[in-house]
Amino acid sequence: MELLIAIIVGVLTACGVYLSLRGRTFPVVLGLTFLSYAVNLFLLIMGRLTIGSPPIISENVMHYADPLPQALVLTAIVISFGMTAFVIVLSLKAFLEMGNDQVDGKHKP
Amino acid sequence: MMNHIVIFPVMLPLLAGILLLLLPKRKLPLKRAISLSLVMLQVVTAGFLLGAVNSGDILAYALGNWSPPFGIVLVADRLAAWMLIVTALVASCALLYAIRGTDKNGVHFHTLFQLQLFGLNGAFLTGDLFNLFVFFEILLLASYSLLLHGGGRLKTKAGLHFVVINLVGSTLFLFAVGILYGLLGTLNMADLAVKVVSVAAEDVALIYTAGLLLFAVFALKAALLPLYLWLPAAYAHTTATVAALFAIMTKVGAYCILRVYTLIFGAQAGPVANLIEAWLLPLALMTLIVGVFGTLASTRMRQQVAYLVITSVGTLLTAFGMNTESGIAAGLYYLPHSTFTTAALFLLVDCIANRRNVMDDQFEPGPIIQQHRLLGALFFVLAILIAGMPPLSGFIGKFLILNAALAHSALWWIMGIVLITSLFTLIALARGGSMLFYRAQSPHICDVDLSTDVPRGVLSVTGELTSVICLLALSIGLVIYAGVITDYTTAIADQLLQPEAYIQSVLNMEVNQ
């Protein structure tokens, strides 16, 4: 299970890095979204993968799931969601003002 | 009550921002009055906090009375109070300039300005790494909107680059936070500092990675080489007020480097002690060199000032990179100086550019500027300040840095690069100043018809220059009270290099139930 999650995080990050290095704004926005997916998953598994263990203290329980990463991830998701919305609007604005969707604002011949 | 003073610098701008959001658009004078008076109140609060921590006390404030390391803490020590007062002073001068007209370009200028201060003050006060990330996002989101304030093609393009690179930076920050939490099980900075000492041998490499990832993020914020490329375009194309406020933004990165790498990865950190010592000084010196090349090659005045911000970052981090008490103290004296002067220069250049009609701030002979004697004199004083010529605060700052370098093994590198770059800064500013003031042609020779643009000609200069003169007065205050201030910055450095007091006061704080 750890290996699978690690591979997913790795693939998402690789896709994110590749796409955010592209020359047009739409792939860049997608790349940033992939990167934030990767980091959210990464944060979530930082509390270790456990099955069937409660996050709340109770008697007769030896192993607990760590509740904090979920709180961290929730915050990170909200922030990255807001940022993605902002960057989409900004790239739309850039497209309308510059007449093309190149990141450097120059027309391709 | 005394204890609650710590949260005031965070609460004031947040509540001010919300209040300003609720006011209707047509009540601009009221908005300006509220915004300005609240920023002034922040200066008072920061001054009060500075007095409260002056004795060496570290005030920790547990939010919601959750005791650390489980809850989030705000911590006010000497360094935090110092950063808060510098921020509040720069912000009040920038706002004084904005209320003369540039705040009309968009509806929510004052709200965004206050939220920017909310993020900045929070980043300086927080004692929790994830909370630092959250405050970073707040200040960044406000800064994106401020940067784009007023609109325009070049602003949008520079803004897009700024936003994208900072989003990547935020992702890296989260990766670093994730690794630290996964290995050490805490995000409270004081608790991290305790736990990092006893990290298992097989985890050292991962902690090292996290530490360097954090360094990359802070270097991006501070515009350290090679992550400075976003800065010149962003700062050169935005409005003067915003650029003046952003003079403090790179210092947030410098502050975080200082805080994290003295507290968590400092000399006491066991296997990861002095993590970035090998990186910071060479990178800072190279930043200095690249920044100076930028100032020499600039074709516009605003661009040149933006590169001057980069050289000031280089100088500042050179001082911090020495990792000695005298080096950090010198850097902390240089920090307000460079913030005030670059902010003043951004505002002054805007005044000059407004008077040059279509020539704007280009380095080409233009019309004679109205009130050129006053503007020229101010430019001259600011150039002396920035280049570090005696007798003003730039000289004292650079002298302290070089004096601190005497005990360092890389003395000749530091000495040589700082002095030579100062000389080139002086040449670049002299070239810019002579182009703007000496090589100006009288209006009738100039091919631009001035008569079509009368309203700009009758701008009252005194109102516009108030904030420039305020910032200059602050720099001169740094010279007059140099003795007191260097004593204080030495005390800051002393406190930073002995993080036990910080750790004790956070982890052993008593929470009133």
Side-chain angles (χ1 to χ4, degrees):
Chain A
M1 191 64 185
E2 275 85 356
L3 188 68
L4 184 65
I5 299 272
I7 290 170
I8 293 175
V9 172
V11 170
L12 280 174
T13 312
C15 293
V17 169
Y18 175 76
L19 284 173
S20 49
L21 293 174
R22 306 298 295 162
R24 293 169 56 196
T25 47
F26 184 64
V28 171
V29 173
L30 279 186
L32 292 172
T33 318
F34 270 119
L35 277 176
S36 67
Y37 285 165
V39 80
N40 289 342
L41 198 57
F42 182 78
L43 275 180
L44 192 68
I45 60 165
M46 272 305 131
R48 301 297 188 273
L49 296 169
T50 49
I51 294 170
S53 39
I56 300 166
I57 293 178
S58 57
E59 287 173 22
N60 314 323
V61 179
M62 293 303 288
H63 298 284
Y64 292 101
D66 191 344
L68 194 70
Q70 294 155 34
L72 298 184
V73 154
L74 194 63
T75 316
I77 287 174
V78 172
I79 290 176
S80 66
F81 188 70
M83 291 295 177
T84 311
F86 185 86
V87 81
I88 286 175
V89 173
L90 181 61
S91 36
L92 202 63
K93 184 176 153 76
F95 172 67
L96 293 174
E97 283 188 3
M98 295 190 281
N100 63 73
D101 65 344
Q102 297 292 320
V103 173
D104 57 2
K106 286 179 187 144
H107 283 286
K108 280 265 165 79
Chain B
M1 181 58 207
M2 188 50 215
N3 196 20
H4 292 294
I5 186 79
V6 179
I7 202 171
F8 271 45
V10 185
M11 289 309 285
L12 273 178
L14 176 63
L15 295 178
I18 295 171
L19 177 67
L20 289 165
L21 192 62
L22 298 175
L23 291 174
K25 186 187 170 187
R26 60 196 151 76
K27 294 207 170 156
L28 193 59
L30 182 64
K31 278 189 176 185
R32 284 172 176 172
I34 292 176
S35 194
L36 194 62
S37 53
L38 277 162
V39 174
M40 294 296 178
L41 196 59
Q42 283 174 48
V43 177
V44 176
T45 320
F48 196 70
L49 199 59
L50 195 71
V53 296
N54 194 15
S55 57
D57 293 343
I58 294 172
L59 305 175
Y61 184 87
L63 291 170
N65 265 353
W66 290 94
S67 64
F70 305 108
I72 289 170
V73 278
L74 298 180
V75 187
D77 63 347
R78 286 183 178 134
L79 176 63
W82 185 236
M83 297 304 295
L84 286 176
I85 190 117
V86 175
T87 311
L89 287 171
V90 170
S92 51
C93 292
L95 196 62
L96 213 56
Y97 191 86
I99 60 173
R100 295 198 36 80
T102 43
D103 58 345
K104 274 186 275 188
N105 295 346
V107 188
H108 295 301
F109 176 83
H110 291 288
T111 307
L112 291 170
F113 194 90
Q114 295 289 344
L115 289 180
Q116 170 87 65
L117 289 177
F118 169 55
L120 284 167
N121 291 350
F124 293 140
L125 279 174
T126 186
D128 184 281
L129 209 55
F130 193 78
N131 202 224
L132 180 67
F133 163 77
V134 175
F135 277 120
F136 260 27
E137 294 306 307
I138 293 169
L139 77 91
L140 284 172
L141 196 51
S143 74
Y144 301 154
S145 315
L146 280 176
L147 190 78
L148 296 163
H149 200 77
R153 200 177 141 268
L154 289 171
K155 236 181 241 179
T156 309
K157 186 179 143 192
L160 186 65
H161 295 181
F162 180 73
V163 173
V164 168
I165 193 153
N166 275 304
L167 284 179
V168 175
S170 306
T171 313
L172 288 182
F173 198 153
L174 279 178
F175 272 117
V177 164
I179 297 172
L180 285 177
Y181 182 76
L183 294 177
L184 302 175
T186 180
L187 286 171
N188 182 298
M189 289 201 230
D191 202 25
L192 276 175
V194 175
K195 298 247 168 82
V196 83
V197 179
S198 50
V199 66
E202 69 266 24
D203 293 339
V204 170
L206 271 173
I207 297 280
Y208 206 92
T209 315
L212 286 181
L213 268 177
L214 275 181
F215 177 54
V217 177
F218 299 149
L220 171 71
K221 302 279 183 282
L224 197 68
L225 187 94
L227 299 169
Y228 70 95
L229 290 163
W230 56 271
L231 190 140
Y235 281 39
H237 291 132
T238 186
T239 49
T241 319
V242 177
L245 181 65
F246 280 14
I248 196 77
M249 285 266 289
T250 51
K251 273 69 180 182
V252 181
Y255 161 83
C256 291
I257 288 175
L258 195 56
R259 171 71 78 205
V260 169
Y261 297 98
T262 54
L263 180 62
I264 305 176
F265 301 106
Q268 283 90 345
V272 284
N274 294 328
L275 183 71
I276 56 162
E277 202 178 22
W279 295 87
L280 188 55
L281 190 60
L283 284 175
L285 288 172
M286 282 193 278
T287 310
L288 199 51
I289 296 172
V290 171
V292 152
F293 284 152
T295 55
L296 284 170
S298 300
T299 54
R300 304 179 77 100
M301 192 67 213
R302 289 195 180 97
Q303 197 184 9
Q304 190 171 51
V305 186
Y307 275 107
L308 285 172
V309 173
I310 295 177
T311 53
S312 78
V313 166
T315 316
L316 184 63
L317 290 177
T318 304
F320 290 167
M322 285 184 246
N323 205 9
T324 58
E325 186 183 306
S326 52
I328 293 173
L332 288 169
Y333 180 87
Y334 187 80
L335 186 144
H337 151 77
S338 65
T339 312
F340 296 151
T341 46
T342 42
L345 205 52
F346 272 121
L347 297 179
L348 183 68
V349 168
D350 194 54
C351 291
I352 295 171
N354 283 342
R355 286 173 174 69
R356 293 184 86 220
N357 293 308
V358 288
M359 298 309 295
D360 204 29
D361 61 336
Q362 290 174 48
F363 284 144
E364 274 170 44
I368 291 178
I369 306 161
Q370 299 206 336
Q371 284 121 343
H372 56 97
R373 286 196 182 82
L374 180 60
L375 289 171
L378 284 174
F379 182 83
F380 180 69
V381 175
L382 278 174
I384 285 181
L385 268 167
I386 286 194
M389 296 283 285
L392 296 175
S393 57
F395 173 71
I396 299 179
K398 281 196 177 155
F399 176 77
L400 287 171
I401 291 171
L402 293 179
N403 196 31
L406 287 177
H408 198 272
S409 54
L411 168 66
W412 295 110
W413 284 104
I414 300 173
M415 199 70 109
I417 292 174
V418 170
L419 287 176
I420 291 170
T421 51
S422 299
L423 175 69
F424 280 116
T425 308
L426 192 65
I427 293 172
L429 283 166
R431 189 184 69 113
S434 56
M435 191 62 88
L436 295 178
F437 293 103
Y438 290 159
R439 293 193 55 195
Q441 298 149 340
S442 57
H444 61 271
I445 304 175
C446 187
D447 46 351
V448 185
D449 188 10
L450 272 181
S451 57
T452 56
D453 208 2
V454 176
R456 279 190 162 180
V458 294
L459 277 177
S460 114
V461 78
T462 43
E464 262 181 286
L465 290 181
T466 313
S467 34
V468 178
I469 290 166
C470 284
L471 286 164
L472 262 183
L474 287 171
S475 301
I476 290 165
L478 283 176
V479 183
I480 297 172
Y481 297 105
V484 186
I485 292 168
T486 44
D487 283 350
Y488 185 74
T489 55
T490 312
I492 300 176
D494 186 47
Q495 199 176 45
L496 281 175
L497 292 176
Q498 287 164 352
E500 292 85 5
Y502 184 103
I503 296 167
Q504 289 307 320
S505 57
V506 172
L507 294 183
N508 298 343
M509 70 179 290
E510 289 172 18
V511 177
N512 325 318
Q513 292 303 327

